[in-house]
Amino acid sequence: MISRRLRMGVNIDHVATIRNARGGPHPDPVRAARMAAAAGADGITAHLREDRRHISDNDIQRLMDEIDLPLNLEMAGTEEMLSIALRHKPHAACIVPERREERTTENGLDVAGANYDLAGYVARLADSAIRVSLFIDPNLEQVEAAHRTGAPVIELHVGTYCESAAGSERDAELERIINAVQAATDLGLEVHAGHGLSFGTVGPIAAIPDIMELNIGHFLIGEAIFGGLESSITRMRALMDNSRAAATGARSA
Ligand code: PXP
């Protein structure tokens, strides 16, 4: 049996977080993107937040100009972000919920309860050949609502799984993710996953054969402090690939 290769998107936001702590140019997230490409990443992910707390508009411009890997632009569903996405035309855009006061993207998008024309955003991005994903919690109501927007891809927020205590709590979260992946796949959606993944939590998620892509950032950048960025990405890549191969009894295609 040949399994589909699991793609790895490296999120470089937190290189920019460190840079912005001092306001100068170092460390440069575009240099990190170049290293990620050399270490086996399939794509680069960057979240341009409304408050520009890490990635800047200029970073997005430079990622588009200087990096050959596809860019996945994480963005809130706002007119400002839509016009930026339409100007740059990244390979992909992942629509995420955003609250200024949150430390990170704490939950998935409430697609089922969205009080704005999310389907309209999906359509306008898709018209520019941008592959749109919606970042949602792993529950069936959200999967079905995401499908109704016309988005071809969902990214499942696996943060609760990653933060849960190992044992029955984590097993129950994994079950929720597996069920959401199954429901989405049955509807014809492509499934990605991300948020909070680490060396310790990536294996069971990578083992779900219908997940096509993982987007990983904070842990990789944190781990780079101790062993270097290339080594943290290479090790994550190996854990992902080995877990996928073990689960499918095959080498990845
Ligand atoms: N995917 C999405 C949609 C995200 O918002 C984030 C966090 O910015 C990630 C993946 C990466 O999460 P982490 O930095 O925790 O690995």
Side-chain angles (χ1 to χ4, degrees):
M1 176 184 174
I2 299 287
S3 71
R4 288 187 219 103
R5 185 169 183 277
L6 179 59
R7 294 194 302 265
M8 179 192 212
V10 171
N11 181 316
I12 51 159
D13 291 351
H14 296 299
V15 179
T17 303
I18 299 170
R19 174 195 62 191
N20 295 358
R22 286 294 170 93
H26 183 78
D28 178 10
V30 179
R31 180 177 168 200
R34 227 174 266 123
M35 288 193 78
D42 298 295
I44 298 300
T45 293
H47 185 175
L48 185 67
R49 278 186 169 266
E50 184 194 18
D51 62 10
R52 309 302 197 266
R53 70 175 70 158
H54 37 55
I55 292 294
S56 68
D57 297 70
N58 187 46
D59 292 331
I60 297 296
Q61 181 71 57
R62 290 183 55 223
L63 288 167
M64 289 298 299
D65 292 347
E66 297 176 33
I67 300 298
D68 290 333
L69 289 183
L71 176 67
N72 174 33
L73 174 67
E74 290 178 4
M75 52 175 271
T78 63
E79 281 299 324
E80 183 203 12
M81 288 301 150
L82 180 66
S83 71
I84 290 170
L86 295 179
R87 193 165 70 243
H88 290 291
K89 295 190 173 42
H91 163 75
C94 179
I95 304 182
V96 301
E98 204 173 295
R99 287 185 295 121
R100 260 178 192 265
E101 65 275 17
E102 71 190 354
R103 264 191 287 184
T104 180
T105 313
E106 287 162 3
N107 297 101
L109 206 54
D110 182 10
V111 183
N115 58 2
Y116 63 102
D117 182 20
L118 186 53
Y121 279 82
V122 171
R124 285 155 76 191
L125 290 162
D127 282 350
S128 283
I130 299 169
R131 193 152 171 85
V132 188
S133 67
L134 301 182
F135 189 45
I136 60 171
D137 287 331
N139 81 54
L140 302 186
E141 188 193 9
Q142 296 298 342
V143 169
E144 284 162 8
H147 178 246
R148 285 195 296 274
T149 67
V153 183
I154 56 165
E155 179 166 330
L156 294 176
H157 191 310
V158 295
T160 307
Y161 156 80
C162 292
E163 284 163 20
S164 60
S168 59
E169 200 187 322
R170 190 177 288 175
D171 292 347
E173 278 306 319
L174 186 60
E175 195 62 31
R176 265 177 16 106
I177 293 165
I178 290 169
N179 291 339
V181 172
Q182 185 64 56
T185 305
D186 289 347
L187 289 168
L189 291 164
E190 180 176 318
V191 183
H192 302 173
H195 204 93
L197 289 166
S198 66
F199 293 154
T201 54
V202 76
I205 301 296
I208 303 171
D210 285 319
I211 293 183
M212 304 290 291
E213 177 175 310
L214 299 182
N215 286 300
I216 312 179
H218 183 267
F219 179 85
L220 289 174
I221 305 307
E223 196 59 21
I225 292 169
F226 305 107
L229 185 57
E230 192 179 342
S231 142
S232 77
I233 294 172
T234 309
R235 181 158 170 216
M236 187 65 86
R237 169 96 257 171
L239 289 168
M240 285 169 54
D241 291 346
N242 292 344
S243 175
R244 173 59 58 92
T248 56
R251 275 191 293 156
S252 296

